[in-house]
Amino acid sequence: YTLQKDEEDEEGDIRRSLKFIKDKLMISQLNAVQTDRLSMLRAMSADQSEAQVREIKHHSIHKDARKSPYVGTDIQRTLLADRNVPWEIAFPYNPPDFTE
């Protein structure tokens, strides 16, 4: 009887240990999935923010100062594409001298 009882206790211990390991693996896998999803959401948020910044920059480009001719004159302004407006863009710009 004692040998059988010891074997049953050992089998129970093994089952509990296996269940514990299985639960830990499951939690680990769930954490990995959650981390992946969180990373994806952060990346999507960053992409969205970059898109919003580009949209704001595009709409905040000052266009009135590039209308030609200069107001009240026949002097033509140098044409400048929107993509060349930011200061970071190297562009050979040589506007006509004009002061009103």
Side-chain angles (χ1 to χ4, degrees):
Y1 172 78
T2 306
L3 183 59
Q4 185 179 1
K5 179 74 169 141
D6 288 342
E7 286 176 356
E8 288 173 3
D9 288 346
E10 187 176 338
E11 187 178 319
D13 289 344
I14 291 170
R15 286 182 190 276
R16 282 188 292 281
S17 295
L18 287 174
K19 183 177 180 337
F20 176 79
I21 292 169
K22 181 181 173 187
D23 290 347
K24 284 291 188 184
L25 285 172
M26 181 70 75
I27 290 170
S28 177
Q29 289 172 344
L30 288 174
N31 284 339
V33 168
Q34 184 177 10
T35 300
D36 288 346
R37 286 185 179 163
L38 185 57
S39 295
M40 228 176 3
L41 286 172
R42 284 183 179 147
M44 289 168 60
S45 177
D47 288 346
Q48 181 64 26
S49 295
E50 287 176 26
Q52 287 172 338
V53 167
R54 281 193 303 274
E55 185 70 18
I56 289 168
K57 281 184 177 180
H58 175 73
H59 288 293
S60 65
I61 292 175
H62 190 57
K63 295 180 179 162
D64 289 342
R66 294 186 289 140
K67 289 181 181 176
S68 197
Y70 284 95
V71 177
T73 72
D74 292 331
I75 300 172
Q76 295 296 311
R77 293 183 191 254
T78 301
L79 296 178
L80 191 63
D82 287 350
R83 69 177 180 276
N84 295 322
V85 171
W87 290 105
E88 298 84 14
I89 305 296
F91 182 75
Y93 179 66
N94 190 17
D97 289 330
F98 174 76
T99 304
E100 187 175 354

